[in-house]
Amino acid sequence: MAAALLRETAIGQIIRYVTKARLLKYPEEKPGFILPSCYDLTSHFLEKQATQIIETSSILPTPATERTLEEVTEQQEEALYEDLEKQETVIEDDFARRRSAAVIVHRTKTREETLPFSAERFDVEQAAVVSRSISLPIQPAVTNRGEILVDWYTTDDPSNPQNWAPNKKYLSAFIICIYTFAVYSGSAIYTPSEGGVMLAFGVSTPIADSGLALYVLGYGCGPLLFSPLSEIPRFGRNPVYVATFGLFVILCIPTALVKNIGGLLFLRFLQGFFGSPCLATGPATMQDIFSLIKFPYILAVWTSFSYCGPAVGPVLAGFAVPVLGWRWSLWEMLIISGPIWVLMALCMPETSADNILYRRAACLRALTGNDRLRSQSEIAQGQVAFATILRQALIKPIEISILDPAVLFVNYYSFFEAFPLVYSEIYHFNLGLLATSFLCILVSCILGVSTYTAYLWFYLEPDIKKNGLRVQESWLRPAMIAVFMPTVGLFIFAWTSRSDIHWIASIIGITIYAFGVFIILQCIFVYIPMSYPQYAASLFAGNDFCRSALACGAIMFARPLYINLGIGRGVTVLAGCSTLGIAGMFFLYFYGAKLRAKSKFTVKG
């Protein structure tokens, strides 16, 4: 088990490369491996025979399936089982049990043949829950050109990330979560050092703020390149994660030692750029290993780590920087990210099913000498140039946002630049106490995760299991309530940030604001890929870029806004803008389906 896990990690792949696959062999490379007979060319008449009897992608005992099974005569069923036994694809001891369950071995549509976040994928995943318990062999398909599509060997194939043991799934998810936390905390962890940067290099506040702004811009630009790379079967997700995060860790050293402001700003941008893959590809990794019905839970956990990163970052450096100097916050990034990279390299398995099947197809070709054994993704992307994939990742999100009004949603950056003006100048907090004021974001995040997961557990999941997936707008229901909270929180913060009112009042306003934003983000993060499943990966990258670009700009204009208008009026401007989000959310809920029906980007039917 440990060897199998290590083989799928980045270190394991390096060991295989160095030893020329003499160590950490795949099952297909080991002596005594028995090739499933369905990958023998002479057995492919079975697919035609099976599909003539029953054509379905599910083995769930639904009424439609039961009617189909009733139409299959006893003679047809006996004949099919006889042929399958000859090909040794059905174990004789299981025959009676499978027949009593009215299951016929046939070409089963697998999860990888469906679009992410689609209703079809949900149906296939629900069928897989049943099929895993009886371990049915999966008959590979054959293309019109005679290529045999390499698939999972059985419905409970342990190589399939969906079939992994819970501990393996949770370990993979945990690594992605702490990786995301390290990158996000690296943005705001710099803020306690801004005063020291100004003194050390003799620069103004806007220049010192650029160290934060460029980092944020960098992790917005990175996914536009790295997300399409992780979707290429030859690469998969792990090499992108490990290589870019390794560069992130290495860059922490020159960033902490740099001797001029230009070098500091450039290195901060590179740090954000190379730390970015988890920010857009993280949700894709989660959907690799968790079913659609469980995906919202793990997405809420992942979002909480990304959400808390900027809040916890200033706390980590706020008390240390005044004592150890402004460079200490940059060294803390190395202390946090270094061990996480080591854990990732040693324990993070490849989660991309396309990559796993790509490597399986290569092993089977080497074993059999049959070049017609190919994975589905290998064939599909082999016909598409990387420039086309990159263009789709760069252009498609922008095109959808402009041409399709169903996805328009006002996204505004938080008002964190007001914190120093309020808690340092009005309430006279020192640098350490100022940093602790960000912890109210952590409180709101805990409340948000608890509330949203309770909604999923007690209402949404039972409803889906009973009625199936409803229209996409049903995912927006929690946001219909939460959308009022950012406006309320902003107004409370704006007009309670006064010396004659206790500071806890403004902290409550921040907590209400952050709680509402968390719930809204959860709903939007599920709604968008459900509406545009074929563009899910590029939309996550595009969404991250838009949010980061706006955040970068907000860092530069927010402080002058508050200084010129005052905290009350400046934050009120943001509160007024947030009311547009209220109208937009209600419009999207009631008219989103009609807008999507007119869209050329959504999946019809």
Side-chain angles (χ1 to χ4, degrees):
M1 180 65 69
L5 175 61
L6 180 62
R7 183 183 62 225
E8 296 298 324
T9 65
I11 293 297
Q13 292 298 305
I14 292 173
I15 293 174
R16 280 179 51 83
Y17 178 79
V18 171
T19 63
K20 298 183 179 179
R22 287 192 295 270
L23 297 178
L24 302 178
K25 294 183 178 181
Y26 291 109
E28 294 84 357
E29 297 171 331
K30 296 178 180 178
F33 173 76
I34 300 176
L35 178 70
S37 58
C38 54
Y39 287 94
D40 187 342
L41 287 175
T42 60
S43 70
H44 280 283
F45 73 92
L46 290 175
E47 179 183 318
K48 180 178 180 181
Q49 186 175 13
T51 52
Q52 286 176 342
I53 297 176
I54 180 171
E55 184 70 29
T56 178
S57 63
S58 171
I59 65 169
L60 283 173
T62 60
T65 305
E66 291 173 357
R67 288 195 299 271
T68 305
L69 291 173
E70 290 173 358
E71 296 173 0
V72 180
T73 66
E74 187 70 21
Q75 292 180 347
Q76 288 174 318
E77 184 178 348
E78 293 290 348
L80 177 59
Y81 271 109
E82 182 180 352
D83 287 335
L84 290 172
E85 286 174 341
K86 291 178 182 179
Q87 296 299 323
E88 299 179 351
T89 59
V90 176
I91 301 174
E92 185 176 355
D93 292 341
D94 290 341
F95 177 78
R97 175 169 59 85
R98 293 179 182 175
R99 182 177 173 184
S100 64
V103 175
I104 297 177
V105 181
H106 58 281
R107 169 60 194 157
T108 302
K109 177 171 284 190
T110 58
R111 187 175 184 269
E112 288 63 46
E113 298 176 74
T114 62
L115 288 173
F117 307 101
S118 63
E120 184 183 23
R121 171 162 291 190
F122 171 75
D123 293 337
V124 170
E125 288 175 346
Q126 291 299 98
V129 172
V130 177
S131 62
R132 288 187 195 118
S133 64
I134 51 180
S135 187
L136 296 175
I138 296 177
Q139 181 77 21
V142 182
T143 69
N144 294 332
R145 295 182 296 180
E147 295 165 313
I148 304 170
L149 299 183
V150 174
D151 210 327
W152 310 119
Y153 295 142
T154 60
T155 53
D156 63 344
D157 192 328
S159 296
N160 184 350
Q162 292 284 312
N163 296 336
W164 286 353
N167 289 343
K168 187 175 181 180
K169 289 186 176 184
Y170 297 145
L171 173 63
S172 302
F174 175 72
I175 292 173
I176 295 299
C177 286
I178 59 176
Y179 167 27
T180 303
F181 172 83
V183 174
Y184 265 117
S185 64
S187 60
I189 203 173
Y190 166 83
T191 55
S193 297
E194 289 181 351
V197 170
M198 294 169 60
L199 292 175
F201 299 120
V203 296
S204 63
T205 299
I207 298 299
D209 287 344
S210 298
L212 173 60
L214 289 174
Y215 183 96
V216 172
L217 182 62
Y219 70 53
C221 295
L224 296 176
L225 173 63
F226 298 127
S227 284
L229 277 178
S230 70
E231 298 295 331
I232 297 177
R234 179 185 296 272
F235 298 145
R237 309 206 192 280
N238 251 9
V240 176
Y241 282 150
V242 174
T244 56
F245 195 45
L247 290 172
F248 176 91
V249 173
I250 292 172
L251 286 169
C252 290
I253 299 174
T255 304
L257 297 173
V258 68
K259 300 297 184 181
N260 59 79
I261 187 63
L264 175 64
L265 298 182
F266 178 68
L267 289 169
R268 286 285 292 172
F269 174 82
L270 290 182
Q271 278 187 307
F273 184 80
F274 287 113
S276 66
C278 62
L279 309 185
T281 311
T285 297
M286 300 304 183
Q287 70 91 22
D288 286 340
I289 56 182
F290 292 96
S291 63
L292 182 57
I293 200 169
K294 297 299 183 183
F295 175 73
Y297 292 98
I298 197 65
L299 181 65
V301 174
W302 175 82
T303 303
S304 67
F305 276 80
S306 65
Y307 207 65
C308 291
V312 176
V315 180
L316 297 175
F319 289 99
V321 166
V323 178
L324 301 174
W326 68 270
R327 295 182 185 272
W328 181 249
S329 65
L330 304 177
W331 285 119
E332 283 184 330
M333 291 179 63
L334 177 63
I335 295 170
I336 295 170
S337 59
I340 294 174
W341 181 85
V342 173
L343 180 65
M344 175 187 292
L346 290 174
C347 300
M348 181 69 191
E350 178 58 60
T351 65
S352 171
D354 288 342
N355 178 263
I356 296 170
L357 292 176
Y358 175 91
R359 287 187 272 121
R360 172 172 287 183
C363 289
L364 291 178
R365 286 196 298 270
L367 177 67
T368 64
N370 184 2
D371 289 336
R372 294 164 66 185
L373 292 168
R374 301 277 177 179
S375 66
Q376 175 64 56
S377 58
E378 187 179 6
I379 296 173
Q381 291 208 343
Q383 300 169 350
V384 181
F386 176 70
T388 302
I389 300 172
L390 187 61
R391 179 186 176 276
Q392 176 170 302
L394 293 171
I395 304 300
K396 191 60 65 176
I398 300 173
E399 185 181 2
I400 293 175
S401 299
I402 294 175
L403 299 181
D404 197 338
V407 79
L408 291 179
F409 183 79
V410 176
N411 187 6
Y412 51 90
Y413 191 57
S414 66
F415 51 103
F416 290 161
E417 283 295 311
F419 279 38
L421 298 175
V422 172
Y423 297 109
S424 291
E425 298 185 12
I426 296 178
Y427 295 109
H428 307 294
F429 284 14
N430 60 34
L431 194 58
L433 290 177
L434 171 62
T436 60
S437 65
F438 287 84
L439 289 180
C440 64
I441 306 298
L442 180 61
V443 174
S444 65
C445 184
I446 294 172
L447 294 174
V449 171
S450 302
T451 303
Y452 188 71
T453 53
Y455 165 77
L456 294 173
W457 180 262
F458 292 108
Y459 173 75
L460 189 62
E461 184 173 343
D463 179 71
I464 291 175
K465 289 180 177 179
K466 180 180 179 180
N467 303 306
L469 288 178
R470 295 183 183 271
V471 66
Q472 286 91 322
E473 282 69 31
S474 64
W475 294 90
L476 297 176
R477 288 171 182 167
M480 303 290 286
I481 300 173
V483 74
F484 293 98
M485 295 181 182
T487 303
V488 173
L490 286 169
F491 275 121
I492 292 176
F493 178 82
W495 299 107
T496 60
S497 298
R498 295 162 44 185
S499 58
D500 58 335
I501 299 178
H502 195 276
W503 55 263
I504 194 62
S506 59
I507 291 292
I508 291 173
I510 300 169
T511 305
I512 294 173
Y513 165 86
F515 174 81
V517 171
F518 182 90
I519 299 296
I520 293 169
L521 286 176
Q522 291 303 308
C523 297
I524 292 297
F525 281 171
V526 176
Y527 174 77
I528 290 178
M530 290 287 289
S531 299
Y532 306 88
Q534 70 274 47
Y535 304 121
S538 59
L539 278 172
F540 275 123
N543 178 269
D544 182 66
F545 172 75
C546 292
R547 288 186 291 113
S548 300
L550 183 57
C552 175
I555 292 169
M556 303 309 297
F557 72 69
R559 186 179 180 87
L561 172 70
Y562 299 136
I563 291 175
N564 292 328
L565 295 182
I567 293 296
R569 293 177 181 176
V571 176
T572 298
V573 171
L574 295 182
C577 293
S578 70
T579 59
L580 298 176
I582 298 175
M585 183 61 69
F586 276 82
F587 183 83
L588 191 61
Y589 180 79
F590 289 108
Y591 297 100
K594 294 181 180 179
L595 294 174
R596 285 186 292 102
K598 299 177 181 179
S599 171
K600 70 175 185 178
F601 301 107
T602 54
V603 177
K604 303 298 191 295

